[in-house]
Amino acid sequence: MTITLDSLEPALSVRQVLTLERVLAGEPEVVAGASHLDRPVRWVHVAEAADVGVMLTGGEMVLTTGVLLAGDEDKQAEYVRSLHRAEAAAVVLGLGRAFPAAPDVMRRAAERCGLPMVVLHRPFPFAELTEEVQSRLVRRKFAAVSLSEAVRTELTALITAGAPLQRLLDEVARHSGCPVVVTNLAHRVLGTAGERPAVDDVLRDWERIARQAGGTEGDGWIRAELGGRGERWGRIVLCGYRGDTATGRLLADRAAEALVLHRMLGGGAACSWEEQSAQSLLTDLVSGVVPARQLLPRARAAGLPVNRRTFVPLVVRDGDPARLERLLRLLGLPGLVAELADGATAVLLSLPRDQDADALAAHFATRLRTGTGPDHTVVAAAEPRAAWDDVPTGLREAQHVADAVADSSTVLQLPPVVRLKDVHLRGLIRLLRDDPHVQSFAERELDGLLRETDEDLLSVLRTYLATGRNKSRTAQLHHVSRPALYRRLESIQLRLGVDLDDFEQAASVHIALLAHDAQQQ
């Protein structure tokens, strides 16, 4: 059975101890320190000695009848002060022969010290209270240790199975019942898990919150450092953890151990987690499944400037994501890079509004293509967006442009940055590729070649039409002689039953071929 935080006994505070059935039978009354009843009770100790404070280590609820204090007000005041110095959780005085009512000296001293003081109006066997509280505390500690081991076992199993970082964080969030955030040392968010609305609330002003809570563990913020061999490279934070701090720290430590092991076994650096974070964010933006407004906190927490910016959505074909990252840093362009599918990489630039977005995008594309050759790398772009809500549409437009020229980049003369206006008919055909009428048209026009699936002739036809029926260029690209090309073109015309010198027939075949190629992608 999986142990979750819901199965743990809640942390026992002084207030909670006073609500126990056995304690209520003694008719407890708080006579001092009422504003400190949420102090945690670590243990219950029965003590009559006046110098009891030297025997405590902190967090104890001390039970006494005060028999050794009666008649000596100095001892009574010192008794309370010694408990305060020892950081006791509270003092409980059983009224009876020694004190028929709460002694004013003890009550005033406890109020000044902020020490909760409780009196029991009915005779009460202290052994029953100690037994009840101690058994609850032992059960809670045992459950905490069991939780720690269960988390360690489950996370180790996930790592062994090759689970990604997100799967580990989801498991930690399930156990903790609160948002979980992993950051680098600059507070840039590398991963999150938990209920989405709660995570978004945490991320909304993440940098300020993270720095403000950086040195404390108040309000349920529990953190553990990530690193090894004397080097720290990140941290995991439980945000708003509702259990007791000790259990939360234990859980955070187990999670940190697993994340460090995950990184070591994966052989990657912390930056790979940054890439995963960017990939998750940009994939969600492209898909449109999550509204852009809901993704804004994640973008901001990932280090992307989003206030008063111009966003330039790019999709790069045959571009190495690591090289794109390096180029962004070299040019000083803020942005995110994420590998999509089929050799495409999304790049989202975030530029100040007073900069020329088109010029910077062109400069980026030119630098990128330098060394890779214009025949291999395609940089497609949408028009710059001034509003974050328009970014998903822009990314999809850039992806559409990149897909439209994917098969023709080696034969078409493309500008450094390809836009929607540059893809012309090819872009329209790609948009209509799933239309049954278009599919039927393509199959009917190309039937003579598709029936025998002659890829060589299809490739020659594709190049011939893409170059504007330039025979010399086509022969050069296919490394054949002009006579050999003429024979292939004659074979194509014969199989299709068309005259490629006729503009209308050639245009019809060209459109059909564009539709066929779009359907294959």
Side-chain angles (χ1 to χ4, degrees):
M1 180 184 71
T2 298
I3 300 175
T4 66
L5 293 180
D6 292 336
S7 66
L8 288 174
E9 291 271 350
L12 284 179
S13 64
V14 175
R15 188 188 309 279
Q16 290 169 323
V17 170
L18 297 182
T19 63
L20 298 178
E21 186 175 350
R22 292 183 180 182
V23 180
L24 291 175
E27 297 182 6
E29 178 189 359
V30 179
V31 296
S35 60
H36 300 278
L37 295 181
D38 291 320
R39 285 182 175 179
V41 176
R42 188 182 60 82
W43 208 244
V44 177
H45 190 68
V46 180
E48 300 292 353
D51 58 348
V52 64
V54 298
M55 297 181 285
L56 306 179
T57 58
E60 296 90 350
M61 174 178 277
V62 177
L63 312 180
T64 182
T65 61
V67 292
L68 300 181
L69 303 176
D72 191 330
E73 293 188 346
D74 289 340
K75 282 186 177 180
Q76 294 169 20
E78 177 56 27
Y79 183 85
V80 171
R81 288 194 293 268
S82 70
L83 294 181
H84 170 64
R85 289 194 296 270
E87 298 183 350
V91 58
V92 178
L93 176 65
L95 301 181
R97 288 180 302 169
F99 293 104
D104 287 340
V105 172
M106 292 183 68
R107 183 180 56 77
R108 288 195 298 269
E111 192 65 47
R112 283 195 298 271
C113 294
L115 176 70
M117 179 175 176
V118 182
V119 296
L120 301 174
H121 289 279
R122 293 177 63 86
F124 183 86
F126 285 167
E128 291 187 9
L129 175 57
T130 57
E131 178 184 4
E132 175 75 12
V133 175
Q134 314 298 44
S135 64
R136 286 175 178 261
L137 290 173
V138 169
R139 288 198 301 271
R140 182 178 62 83
K141 290 181 179 180
F142 175 76
V145 173
S146 298
L147 170 67
S148 172
E149 290 308 308
V151 171
R152 186 202 300 269
T153 300
E154 292 174 16
L155 293 181
T156 301
L158 288 173
I159 293 171
T160 304
L165 171 67
Q166 188 59 53
R167 182 69 185 86
L168 270 65
L169 296 183
D170 288 341
E171 191 68 15
V172 175
R174 185 175 69 83
H175 280 291
S176 66
C178 68
V180 175
V181 177
V182 174
T183 76
N184 61 16
L185 295 181
H187 302 291
R188 179 173 176 178
V189 174
L190 308 180
T192 64
E195 294 293 331
R196 196 72 253 166
V199 172
D200 289 344
D201 285 344
V202 169
L203 296 184
R204 212 157 260 123
D205 194 12
W206 169 253
E207 186 169 348
R208 182 188 63 79
I209 294 174
R211 293 186 185 281
Q212 190 176 49
T216 67
E217 289 190 343
D219 299 325
W221 284 67
I222 311 293
R223 61 189 44 76
E225 300 298 327
L226 303 176
R229 299 177 182 176
E231 178 188 4
R232 291 189 305 120
W233 42 265
R235 58 178 59 89
I236 182 170
V237 187
L238 309 185
C239 308
Y241 175 74
R242 293 187 297 274
D244 67 285
T245 301
T247 303
R249 193 176 297 116
L250 199 60
L251 179 58
D253 287 342
R254 294 295 83 78
E257 290 173 3
L259 296 185
V260 171
L261 179 61
H262 180 273
R263 176 189 174 188
M264 291 173 58
L265 294 181
C271 64
S272 67
W273 287 2
E274 295 179 3
E275 292 167 3
Q276 291 179 38
S277 174
Q279 183 172 12
S280 173
L281 174 61
L282 290 185
T283 299
D284 285 346
L285 279 169
V286 171
S287 69
V289 173
V290 182
R293 182 59 51 181
Q294 293 182 21
L295 296 173
L296 190 57
R298 287 171 58 188
R300 184 182 289 113
L304 185 73
V306 294
N307 294 330
R308 296 182 296 279
R309 309 291 286 190
T310 296
F311 302 101
V312 182
L314 305 173
V315 170
V316 181
R317 280 282 180 187
D318 298 323
D320 177 23
R323 185 167 183 267
L324 296 176
E325 284 271 14
R326 291 194 297 271
L327 183 57
L328 285 182
R329 289 195 295 270
L330 178 65
L331 299 178
L333 297 176
L336 296 178
V337 176
E339 190 171 6
L340 302 178
D342 302 324
T345 302
V347 180
L348 180 60
L349 301 181
S350 175
L351 307 174
R353 290 185 175 175
D354 59 354
Q355 293 187 350
D356 188 334
D358 289 338
L360 287 174
H363 181 55
F364 171 79
T366 301
R367 289 291 300 271
L368 177 63
R369 293 172 63 153
T370 301
T372 62
D375 293 341
H376 295 86
T377 303
V378 173
V379 180
E383 292 302 317
R385 261 57 178 178
W388 173 259
D389 287 344
D390 295 332
V391 168
T393 304
L395 284 169
R396 288 193 289 272
E397 179 183 314
Q399 188 174 35
H400 164 68
V401 173
D403 291 343
V405 298
D407 293 330
S408 59
S409 58
T410 59
V411 294
L412 295 180
Q413 294 299 316
L414 300 174
V417 179
V418 187
R419 301 185 185 276
L420 194 58
K421 63 182 178 60
D422 299 314
V423 296
H424 307 295
L425 177 63
R426 191 177 297 273
L428 175 63
I429 294 299
R430 183 166 183 81
L431 288 176
L432 300 175
R433 64 179 177 172
D434 294 326
D435 188 297
H437 295 90
V438 174
Q439 294 173 355
S440 252
F441 169 76
E443 292 175 4
R444 185 172 61 251
E445 289 289 303
L446 301 175
D447 180 63
L449 289 179
L450 298 180
R451 194 184 315 120
E452 299 182 20
T453 61
D454 193 327
E455 290 299 329
D456 180 59
L457 291 182
L458 273 174
S459 178
V460 169
L461 176 62
R462 185 180 293 111
T463 304
Y464 180 62
L465 295 174
T467 58
R469 297 181 292 173
N470 186 320
K471 294 182 176 67
S472 297
R473 178 62 174 156
T474 302
Q476 180 184 15
L477 290 172
H478 283 270
H479 307 289
V480 297
S481 65
R482 290 283 292 268
L485 175 66
Y486 294 157
R487 288 194 295 272
R488 295 184 189 185
L489 291 176
E490 288 173 3
S491 178
I492 291 171
Q493 294 181 102
L494 183 62
R495 295 190 187 190
L496 296 181
V498 298
D499 179 5
L500 293 179
D501 289 330
D502 181 87
F503 176 79
E504 185 174 337
Q505 293 182 56
S508 181
V509 172
H510 195 185
I511 292 171
L513 187 57
L514 291 176
H516 168 74
D517 289 344
Q519 291 159 17
Q520 304 308 306
Q521 296 176 5

